[in-house]
Amino acid sequence: MARIGVQASTIKTSFAENGTFETLRRMAEIGYRVIEMSQVAMTPENVAEMKRAQDELGVSVVALSAGLTPPPGGGDSLSTTYDKIVADCRTLGTGLLRVGMLPIDAMGHRDSIVDFAKKTEEYAKRLADDGVALYYHNHHVEFARLDGRYMLDVIADLAPTVGLEVDVHWVQRGGLNPVSVLAKYAGRVRLVHLKDYRIGLLPDSARDAIAAGDFAGFMAGFYGVVQFAEVGEGNLEWQPIIEQALASGA
């Protein structure tokens, strides 16, 4: 059965201010008992607090996050702390690990994208031997075309062992229909990110900018009306998205 949970990056300030166990306690108190960890330091102390929340609160940590190389500022990565990542998965009882973003230095360069996909496939095979399934989370940049094909399709073809964590907001922002993308990758989708896509009102600052002759300032406001939204408060059609996500294996 599919479950709706929280992506830890959306409440990362609480982890920093209130601590890991207290944040998970508050999350469980309002009815969410499933979380995907991202942008929270996986220190031994934090991992222990996550395990405590699982044991005492019934919270499930269903997926962890890791890049191929360390993020800016340092942190775990498959190339530097592979054994620790696998150990954390085992401690928390999850068999799902996700790569949250294409490396910055790979964006826009075909050879770098191909290299990223091939290395990700190598890690996916190694992780599979350790009982962990690797997933890749998309943004909008993966819907640029490489020789007439979407970048996401190139990555998916070169990394067939890697599952896809389809983010419906970023699919929409990339100009595609989330339902169609979910259907296309049926069988490779166990994780789906739900966030809405909204067109906001033009801010007064944009009108003030154009009145002052600041065309660049106006255009910043004009393009800035494309916004994230709470689920149900934007323009995405949720019933077909949810139905297809389930049909695709979420």
Side-chain angles (χ1 to χ4, degrees):
M1 179 182 294
R3 295 179 289 174
I4 296 176
V6 172
Q7 223 286 345
S9 65
T10 64
I11 54 172
K12 62 185 178 183
T13 55
S14 179
F15 279 91
E17 294 170 2
N18 302 307
T20 295
F21 182 83
E22 177 61 14
T23 295
L24 295 175
R25 187 195 67 77
R26 295 182 185 189
M27 184 190 80
E29 190 173 59
I30 63 171
Y32 291 97
R33 295 182 179 274
V34 175
I35 189 164
E36 176 181 87
M37 287 297 169
S38 176
Q39 298 183 41
V40 175
M42 298 298 289
T43 62
E45 295 78 14
N46 278 347
V47 172
E49 291 282 271
M50 293 171 197
K51 182 67 168 63
R52 178 188 168 202
Q54 288 185 313
D55 294 341
E56 297 183 14
L57 305 173
V59 168
S60 294
V61 178
V62 296
L64 302 185
S65 302
L68 270 62
T69 56
D76 291 341
S77 76
L78 289 167
S79 61
T80 58
T81 56
Y82 178 93
D83 291 340
K84 177 189 178 300
I85 291 168
V86 171
D88 288 344
C89 287
R90 290 174 177 165
T91 297
L92 297 170
T94 179
L96 303 177
L97 181 71
R98 34 93 62 184
V99 175
M101 193 171 189
L102 188 70
I104 303 300
D105 59 4
M107 295 181 186
H109 299 281
R110 177 181 175 81
D111 290 346
S112 295
I113 292 163
V114 169
D115 182 63
F116 165 79
K118 290 181 177 179
K119 287 180 179 177
T120 304
E121 174 67 6
E122 291 173 3
Y123 279 116
K125 290 179 177 178
R126 183 178 173 188
L127 285 163
D129 290 338
D130 285 316
V132 179
L134 187 62
Y135 283 75
Y136 176 75
H137 168 270
N138 69 276
H139 290 81
H140 58 338
V141 294
E142 288 88 353
F143 298 102
R145 291 183 183 272
L146 294 174
D147 299 330
R149 302 181 66 220
Y150 293 124
M151 187 190 303
L152 185 62
D153 294 336
V154 173
I155 294 171
D157 285 352
L158 292 173
T161 308
V162 179
L164 296 178
E165 181 177 53
V166 173
D167 187 309
V168 297
H169 168 95
W170 286 112
V171 171
Q172 180 77 19
R173 192 172 285 211
L176 278 74
N177 183 337
V179 174
S180 299
V181 173
L182 286 165
K184 180 176 185 177
Y185 287 109
R188 291 183 70 171
V189 178
R190 287 176 66 190
L191 300 166
V192 179
H193 272 198
L194 308 178
K195 43 184 175 277
D196 219 332
Y197 177 100
R198 172 174 59 212
I199 302 299
L201 296 174
L202 189 73
D204 290 340
S205 59
R207 286 185 284 272
D208 294 341
I210 199 69
D214 178 9
F215 187 69
F218 166 77
M219 291 306 294
F222 181 80
Y223 289 123
V225 299
V226 177
Q227 301 166 359
F228 292 105
E230 297 82 354
V231 171
E233 298 295 327
N235 295 344
L236 292 183
E237 296 183 27
W238 285 103
Q239 182 170 338
I241 287 173
I242 296 296
E243 290 175 352
Q244 185 58 61
L246 295 172
S248 294

